[in-house]
Coordinates of all heavy atoms in Angstrom, one line a residue:
K17 N -21.6 97.2 -31.3 CA -20.7 96.0 -31.2 C -21.3 95.0 -30.3 O -22.1 95.3 -29.3 CB -19.4 96.5 -30.6 CG -18.7 97.6 -31.4 CD -18.4 97.2 -32.8 CE -17.5 98.2 -33.5 NZ -17.3 97.9 -34.9
K26 N -18.9 69.7 -23.6 CA -18.4 68.3 -23.7 C -19.2 67.4 -22.8 O -19.3 67.7 -21.6 CB -16.9 68.3 -23.3 CG -16.3 66.9 -23.5 CD -14.8 67.0 -23.2 CE -14.1 65.7 -23.6 NZ -14.6 64.5 -22.8
R40 N -11.3 72.1 -18.1 CA -11.9 72.0 -16.7 C -13.4 72.5 -16.8 O -13.8 73.2 -17.7 CB -11.1 72.9 -15.7 CG -11.1 74.4 -16.0 CD -10.4 75.1 -14.9 NE -10.2 76.5 -15.2 CZ -10.2 77.5 -14.3 NH1 -10.5 77.3 -13.1 NH2 -10.0 78.7 -14.7
V61 N -22.6 81.6 -28.2 CA -22.2 80.5 -29.1 C -21.9 79.3 -28.3 O -21.2 79.3 -27.3 CB -20.9 81.0 -29.9 CG1 -20.2 79.8 -30.6 CG2 -21.1 82.1 -30.8
T74 N -28.0 64.6 -28.9 CA -27.7 65.4 -27.6 C -27.7 66.9 -27.8 O -28.3 67.6 -27.0 CB -26.2 65.0 -27.2 OG1 -26.2 63.6 -27.0 CG2 -25.9 65.7 -25.9
M75 N -27.2 67.3 -29.0 CA -27.2 68.8 -29.2 C -28.6 69.3 -29.5 O -28.9 70.4 -29.1 CB -26.2 69.1 -30.4 CG -24.8 68.9 -30.0 SD -24.3 69.8 -28.5 CE -24.3 71.5 -29.1
A83 N -33.3 77.2 -26.0 CA -34.3 78.1 -26.6 C -35.4 78.4 -25.7 O -36.1 79.4 -25.8 CB -34.8 77.4 -27.9
L105 N -30.8 71.3 -36.0 CA -30.4 72.3 -34.9 C -31.2 73.6 -35.1 O -31.7 74.2 -34.1 CB -28.9 72.6 -35.0 CG -28.0 71.4 -34.6 CD1 -26.6 71.7 -35.0 CD2 -28.1 71.1 -33.1
N107 N -34.2 73.9 -36.6 CA -35.5 73.5 -36.2 C -35.8 73.4 -34.7 O -36.9 73.7 -34.2 CB -36.0 72.2 -36.9 CG -36.4 72.5 -38.4 OD1 -36.8 73.5 -38.7 ND2 -36.2 71.4 -39.2
I115 N -19.8 76.3 -38.7 CA -19.0 75.1 -39.3 C -17.5 75.5 -39.3 O -17.2 76.7 -39.5 CB -19.5 74.7 -40.7 CG1 -19.6 75.9 -41.6 CG2 -20.9 74.1 -40.6 CD1 -19.9 75.6 -43.1
E128 N -23.8 75.0 -49.9 CA -25.0 74.3 -49.7 C -25.9 74.9 -48.6 O -27.1 75.0 -48.7 CB -24.7 72.8 -49.5 CG -24.1 72.1 -50.6 CD -23.5 70.7 -50.3 OE1 -23.8 70.3 -49.1 OE2 -22.8 70.1 -51.1
G134 N -29.9 80.5 -46.1 CA -29.6 81.9 -46.2 C -28.3 82.2 -45.5 O -27.9 81.6 -44.5
Q136 N -27.3 84.5 -43.7 CA -27.3 85.0 -42.3 C -27.3 83.9 -41.3 O -27.1 84.2 -40.1 CB -28.5 85.9 -42.1 CG -29.9 85.3 -42.1 CD -30.5 85.2 -43.5 OE1 -29.8 85.1 -44.5 NE2 -31.8 85.2 -43.6
I152 N -1.9 79.9 -40.3 CA -2.3 78.7 -41.0 C -3.6 78.2 -40.3 O -3.7 78.1 -39.1 CB -1.2 77.6 -40.9 CG1 0.1 78.1 -41.6 CG2 -1.7 76.3 -41.5 CD1 -0.1 78.4 -43.1
V153 N -4.5 77.8 -41.1 CA -5.8 77.2 -40.6 C -5.5 75.8 -40.0 O -4.8 75.0 -40.6 CB -6.8 77.1 -41.8 CG1 -8.1 76.4 -41.3 CG2 -7.1 78.4 -42.4
L167 N -6.0 83.9 -44.3 CA -6.7 85.0 -45.0 C -7.2 84.5 -46.3 O -8.4 84.8 -46.7 CB -5.7 86.1 -45.3 CG -6.3 87.4 -45.8 CD1 -7.4 88.0 -44.8 CD2 -5.3 88.5 -46.0
E180 N -20.8 85.2 -41.5 CA -19.9 85.8 -40.6 C -18.7 84.9 -40.4 O -18.8 83.7 -40.8 CB -20.6 85.9 -39.2 CG -21.8 86.8 -39.1 CD -22.4 86.9 -37.7 OE1 -21.7 87.6 -36.8 OE2 -23.4 86.4 -37.4
M186 N -5.4 80.7 -32.0 CA -5.0 79.6 -31.0 C -3.8 80.0 -30.2 O -3.6 79.5 -29.1 CB -4.8 78.3 -31.8 CG -6.0 77.8 -32.4 SD -5.6 76.5 -33.5 CE -4.5 75.5 -32.5
A213 N -14.2 88.4 -33.1 CA -12.8 88.2 -32.6 C -12.9 87.1 -31.5 O -13.8 87.2 -30.6 CB -12.3 89.5 -32.0
I260 N -17.5 103.4 -27.6 CA -17.8 102.2 -28.4 C -19.3 101.9 -28.2 O -19.7 101.7 -27.0 CB -16.9 101.0 -27.9 CG1 -15.4 101.3 -28.2 CG2 -17.3 99.7 -28.6 CD1 -14.5 100.4 -27.5

Side-chain angles (χ1 to χ4, degrees):
K17 302 300 186 182
K26 184 177 190 295
R40 60 177 173 145
V61 169
T74 303
M75 289 307 288
L105 295 167
N107 280 332
I115 52 174
E128 294 168 13
Q136 70 269 30
I152 300 297
V153 176
L167 193 58
E180 297 183 71
M186 293 168 48
I260 297 165

